[in-house]
Amino acid sequence: MERSLKNSGRPTPEITLPAHVAGSGTLDRLVDTARDYARGATSENTNAAYAADWAHFTRWCRRRGAEPLPPSAEVIGFYIANCASPDDRSPALSVSTIERRLSGLAWHYQNRGFTLDRKDRHISTVLAGIKRKHARPPVQKEAVLADDIRAMVATLGFDLRGLRDRAILLLGFAGGLRRSEIVSLDRRKDDTLDGKGWIEILDAGVVLTFRGKTGWREVEIGRGSSQQTCPVHALEHWLHFAKIDIGPVFRRASQDGTRALETRLSDKHVARLIKQTVLAAGIRSDLPEKDRLALFSGHSLRAGLASSAEVDERYVQKHLGHASAEMTRRYQRRRDRFRVNLTKAAGL
């Protein structure tokens, strides 16, 4: 298969038949199938981010009379230096954003039949210098803790939208879910083409099976001690009153709020919901509204569970689907940091 080398911002490769192979109906269909699989190789959010990275780079090259193709380590070194110290009024990018942009460029070059050597000295030494001069500790979002989530769901009504949003918050918190994972769930396996998981409600709780950021995994969410804050009870209520037996679990509601539509909610709804209910519940009211909104995001639910669950760390790690305990600790805003005291263990 050949790849088109057109200078476009498409987030997937142009897959075509080799020039020496005659086309046919069967082969043409296989080309379309291969393109579909190529589009699904990375998540929609990643595709969108990489497309934006490529568009930014090609625009930067065009303004400076450089060519984006074929890849030039020197040009890319100049580019990331300019991202860190812009020569115009645009804001400087963080080290993590610059590294993400390099990943996006490497991905696009690979899909165009090229290889970008990020270890080339024109790139690696410039990036090392940027890290040394500009690297800062990661900015973490505030965790939504158990008392916070109770206050947030208390601000919601009991109409259809309120039932839906209550289920989203409680399920997202108890499952330690990403916002994309919440809205990707279907009622049952293979209900829709765009779904990435499904739910199974049992007597003791609900089992979520979905394709997350790190692959397929199961998340078990047990029933809570109170119906007012039980995520499974909230989910059952939403499904019952929304009359959802098949298709996306979380959907838009009609304008009059009396029925659930077929359209799946966007993950942006989860982020907006968290910010809205944080304000309504008066969480961190010691800060101005602008600062409060900036503190909380979709990841606040995952960080909240990791910080609130008083169980062995390995259970939290498995629940969140983390490959390492170190990653889990990044989500724990509140933990016993000195539970293991090596100073005393060493005899001092």
Side-chain angles (χ1 to χ4, degrees):
M1 291 184 294
E2 293 179 338
R3 292 186 174 97
S4 170
L5 304 183
K6 292 188 299 181
N7 179 15
S8 71
R10 288 177 60 90
T12 54
E14 286 285 339
I15 297 177
T16 60
L17 287 172
H20 64 278
V21 175
S24 68
T26 301
L27 285 176
D28 290 342
R29 285 192 295 272
L30 286 176
V31 169
D32 292 337
T33 301
R35 286 173 178 165
D36 289 338
Y37 279 124
R39 279 190 289 270
T42 49
S43 71
E44 292 180 6
N45 288 342
T46 300
N47 284 341
Y50 284 177
D53 293 338
W54 182 253
H56 184 273
F57 175 63
T58 54
R59 188 165 57 248
W60 182 90
C61 287
R62 186 170 59 250
R63 289 175 177 173
R64 289 159 178 81
E67 291 293 333
L69 293 170
S72 165
E74 292 88 344
V75 169
I76 293 174
F78 299 150
Y79 170 68
I80 62 174
N82 194 221
C83 288
S85 299
D87 55 5
D88 53 22
R89 294 186 177 181
S90 58
L93 300 183
S94 67
V95 172
S96 60
T97 300
I98 292 172
E99 289 184 310
R100 206 282 317 284
R101 289 212 166 156
L102 276 175
S103 297
L105 296 185
W107 188 86
H108 272 276
Y109 279 127
Q110 182 181 12
N111 285 336
R112 286 165 169 77
F114 297 103
T115 300
L116 175 62
D117 182 9
R118 293 179 57 172
K119 294 182 180 180
D120 185 287
R121 63 184 179 86
H122 294 95
I123 299 175
S124 61
T125 56
V126 172
L127 183 60
I130 291 172
K131 289 181 177 179
R132 186 176 180 85
K133 184 174 182 179
H134 299 292
R136 298 287 185 274
V139 178
Q140 294 183 318
K141 294 298 182 179
E142 190 91 353
V144 168
L145 302 177
D147 288 342
D148 298 330
I149 202 76
R150 282 192 283 266
M152 289 162 66
V153 298
T155 67
L156 299 171
F158 289 91
D159 57 353
L160 206 57
R161 289 191 180 91
L163 294 177
R164 178 198 64 195
D165 291 344
R166 182 174 286 101
I168 287 174
L169 289 176
L170 291 173
L171 200 73
F173 177 85
L177 305 178
R178 300 175 178 89
R179 64 186 192 182
S180 59
E181 293 170 342
I182 296 172
V183 300
S184 71
L185 292 168
D186 283 346
R187 184 64 183 86
R188 290 186 296 270
K189 184 179 180 182
D190 299 328
D191 273 357
T192 66
L193 293 176
D194 63 331
K196 295 180 175 64
W198 63 93
I199 66 172
E200 183 182 5
I201 300 177
L202 307 174
D203 291 341
V206 60
V207 178
L208 314 180
T209 305
F210 54 81
R211 186 173 67 245
K213 190 175 181 180
T214 57
W216 284 99
R217 65 190 182 100
E218 283 188 353
V219 173
E220 300 171 0
I221 301 177
R223 294 185 183 272
S225 55
S226 168
Q227 282 196 347
Q228 283 72 32
T229 56
C230 173
V232 185
H233 180 75
L235 176 63
E236 289 174 324
H237 260 216
W238 157 246
L239 294 174
H240 173 73
F241 286 102
K243 299 178 181 178
I244 297 175
D245 294 319
I246 189 172
V249 169
F250 295 113
R251 318 171 174 198
R252 295 177 59 190
S254 60
Q255 192 167 5
D256 59 7
T258 59
R259 59 189 176 88
L261 305 178
E262 294 183 1
T263 310
R264 186 186 304 276
L265 278 179
S266 162
D267 65 342
K268 293 179 181 178
H269 174 81
V270 180
R272 288 194 296 266
L273 173 63
I274 292 170
K275 292 178 183 294
Q276 289 166 2
T277 51
V278 159
L279 289 181
I283 297 170
R284 293 303 309 268
S285 57
D286 56 308
L287 298 175
E289 180 176 310
K290 180 180 178 182
D291 294 339
R292 293 164 67 194
L293 288 173
L295 272 180
F296 295 91
S297 73
H299 259 52
S300 295
L301 297 179
R302 281 171 68 78
L305 179 76
S307 303
S308 302
E310 296 181 358
V311 296
D312 192 289
E313 192 175 78
R314 68 179 185 273
Y315 295 116
V316 180
Q317 178 183 339
K318 180 180 182 295
H319 199 74
L320 297 183
H322 288 154
S324 68
E326 181 60 34
M327 178 58 72
T328 302
R329 293 187 191 108
R330 294 182 189 178
Y331 282 78
Q332 293 173 323
R333 310 293 191 260
R334 185 180 64 183
R335 63 185 175 89
D336 184 358
R337 293 180 177 273
F338 301 103
R339 183 167 56 88
V340 178
N341 190 328
L342 292 182
T343 306
K344 290 182 178 179
L348 299 180

